[in-house]
Amino acid sequence: MSKLKGAYGSIDEILKQGFDRERRSSEFFESVQKAKSFSLDSLSSESYQVGLESASSILNVNSGLPQEQNFGIQKSIRKAFGKLGINEPKIGGHPDFDYLADTKTLKNGFNVSLFIDIKGSTKLGVTYSAETVFLIKNAIIRAAIETIQAFDGHVHRIMGDAVLAFFRSDKKAKNAAIDAINCGTYIVQVMNEVVKPYFTEQGIEDDVGIRIGIDYGKKEAVIWGMYGYSGASEVTATSYYVDIAAKLQQKAPKNRVLLGQSIKELLDLPDKILETRYVQSNGEKVKKEFVEPNYLDASCKPINYKQYLLNHEKYIALLPSPSISNSSGNIEITAHLKDDKNSPSKMIYFPCSQVVKKRLGIDFKVKFELPKQDLNKGVLVRFRVENTGTEAREAAENSDNHENVVEAHISDDGYYRASQWADTGYLGLHFMHVSVLDENRRTLLQEESFGVFIGDPLLEIN
């Protein structure tokens, strides 16, 4: 099922313009050569000129670069994640620290850095014209920029094939880290789902893709200041962790996100959504646990800074989609944050969208349809809680994982509904798994998962 096609579908048109332009260029060249092959003895000067003008018209129709416009990605993505408003496009520096250009001072402030580059784009220039390569690369970069903006990131710099973005969402580090990871995951998904299939149709080399590196630097480890001097300056972040994000991007496999140890520890990300990076060497798989080069510290010991591949398939499945409607066969899961079971809802929580304070609880509600042959009075819903992270592991046996089975009730509109209360007792990324059973506990609708990040966002305010 398409996850993002609807939100990013306009990229198809930009790519189509690029390849159509290339085709028209080829037709133009062939027409000119054909015209030149005739001698003026057998073809009048007037006819020759008409032939050239006809060939030239191939390029004149829709041959220009696309008009300046955005893809309209922000609105649908922000709605899917419960984000309000639209971010204005800006580039350079960072709004939180641009004042440093006037004060000439330095300031500490946390940062989540996301580096993205287009892998294999140089090979495009061997087959296609510079104009076509520009259209292809610019479509990908524009999609990445709008996705960064949709997740409250700030585009700091565009460097040819690469983009550097900083995330400081509402000045809360954990939310910024979540936004950056969600952003990277969406960019990878649009490459897999929209761009790559189009490339395949055109016979483009399989190794063209993107690579993403993300890491977090805490307040004390990041310095913001102005480099250069008035008229030739830039306010930017200086940190080992900004540099690490760049190295992670360089080592990331095609169409994958590589995370640093710091961001993994900030969110206490579970092993189930992470993988170890391996490379092929002399015909064997070699484990790459640490960022390379593995620098030495002041005591000449290797730093051994770890890196983690995000398991794309598992994580993208947890994220809300702007393209999927709640059709028959899907379990619609909503989560309402409350102070306690009997309190009114404080807000709707969208899956994997931000951290939830530990003192709140979550009222999970499900809604689904069943085929007529499955309609009966014994429809049940299994709510299965899976806790992850250090706190849960240390606080309770089996990390306090448990499940409850409740009866579903059908409404006049033909939908079944059920609900379940859950406490937010442990820091980390936790899961509510929901499946639908018949009265004999046989599965009617397969299990679907809802991810919740739990932690106190107030701890990370600068």
Side-chain angles (χ1 to χ4, degrees), residues 151-399:
F151 285 99
D152 294 322
H154 177 76
V155 178
H156 180 64
R157 194 182 298 152
I158 300 173
M159 302 159 284
D161 295 353
V163 178
L164 168 60
F166 295 147
F167 289 77
R168 287 174 48 83
S169 310
D170 297 325
K171 299 184 180 180
K172 300 181 177 76
K174 287 184 179 178
N175 283 346
I178 293 167
D179 279 335
I181 292 173
N182 291 347
C183 174
T185 302
Y186 256 47
I187 294 172
V188 168
Q189 184 66 13
V190 76
M191 288 297 300
N192 289 335
E193 189 176 312
V194 182
V195 178
K196 184 178 178 181
Y198 203 92
F199 279 6
T200 301
E201 289 178 10
Q202 304 301 320
I204 291 181
E205 294 88 347
D206 186 53
D207 59 353
V208 176
I210 53 101
R211 302 178 296 187
I212 298 177
I214 307 175
D215 208 5
Y216 157 74
K218 62 183 179 180
K219 176 180 178 179
E220 296 77 14
V222 184
I223 284 287
W224 295 82
M226 186 187 82
Y227 280 89
Y229 48 85
S230 297
S233 65
E234 178 184 60
V235 174
T236 190
T238 301
S239 174
Y240 169 78
Y241 301 97
V242 176
D243 297 339
I244 285 295
K247 294 188 180 300
L248 291 167
Q249 167 261 308
Q250 294 167 6
K251 298 297 184 181
K254 181 188 66 174
N255 295 340
R256 297 293 298 273
V257 175
L258 193 58
L259 304 173
Q261 177 178 327
S262 182
I263 196 169
K264 190 267 188 189
E265 293 175 349
L266 174 69
L267 297 174
D268 201 358
L269 296 174
D271 291 341
K272 70 178 295 178
I273 64 166
L274 301 174
E275 299 177 19
T276 300
R277 176 175 168 256
Y278 288 90
V279 299
Q280 288 289 335
S281 179
N282 298 323
E284 296 182 356
K285 287 179 63 176
V286 179
K287 183 177 180 180
K288 295 292 183 178
E289 183 179 2
F290 307 117
V291 174
E292 294 178 338
N294 194 348
Y295 295 110
L296 303 180
D297 61 18
S299 61
C300 296
K301 294 181 179 179
I303 292 177
N304 290 343
Y305 191 80
K306 293 185 177 181
Q307 57 186 358
Y308 302 86
L309 267 177
L310 186 67
N311 186 309
H312 180 77
E313 287 72 22
K314 290 183 179 179
Y315 192 69
I316 189 66
L318 296 171
L319 299 186
S321 169
S323 302
I324 296 177
S325 61
N326 294 308
S327 59
S328 179
N330 291 329
I331 305 174
E332 179 184 344
I333 309 172
T334 56
H336 298 259
L337 301 183
K338 297 182 177 182
D339 289 323
D340 55 63
K341 290 183 181 180
N342 300 318
S343 297
S345 174
K346 297 176 75 72
M347 63 174 288
I348 295 176
Y349 180 85
F350 295 81
C352 294
S353 59
Q354 59 181 306
V355 288
V356 176
K357 295 179 182 179
K358 285 176 64 175
R359 68 176 180 82
L360 296 176
I362 305 177
D363 187 12
F364 287 97
K365 298 180 182 295
V366 300
K367 171 185 170 183
F368 56 91
E369 286 183 293
L370 289 174
K372 290 184 178 180
Q373 65 268 23
D374 291 331
L375 296 179
N376 59 68
K377 297 181 180 179
V379 177
L380 307 172
V381 177
R382 175 187 286 132
F383 292 91
R384 185 170 65 87
V385 174
E386 181 186 3
N387 294 313
T388 71
T390 304
E391 276 199 359
R393 189 164 55 251
E394 294 178 352
E397 184 178 356
N398 193 32
S399 296

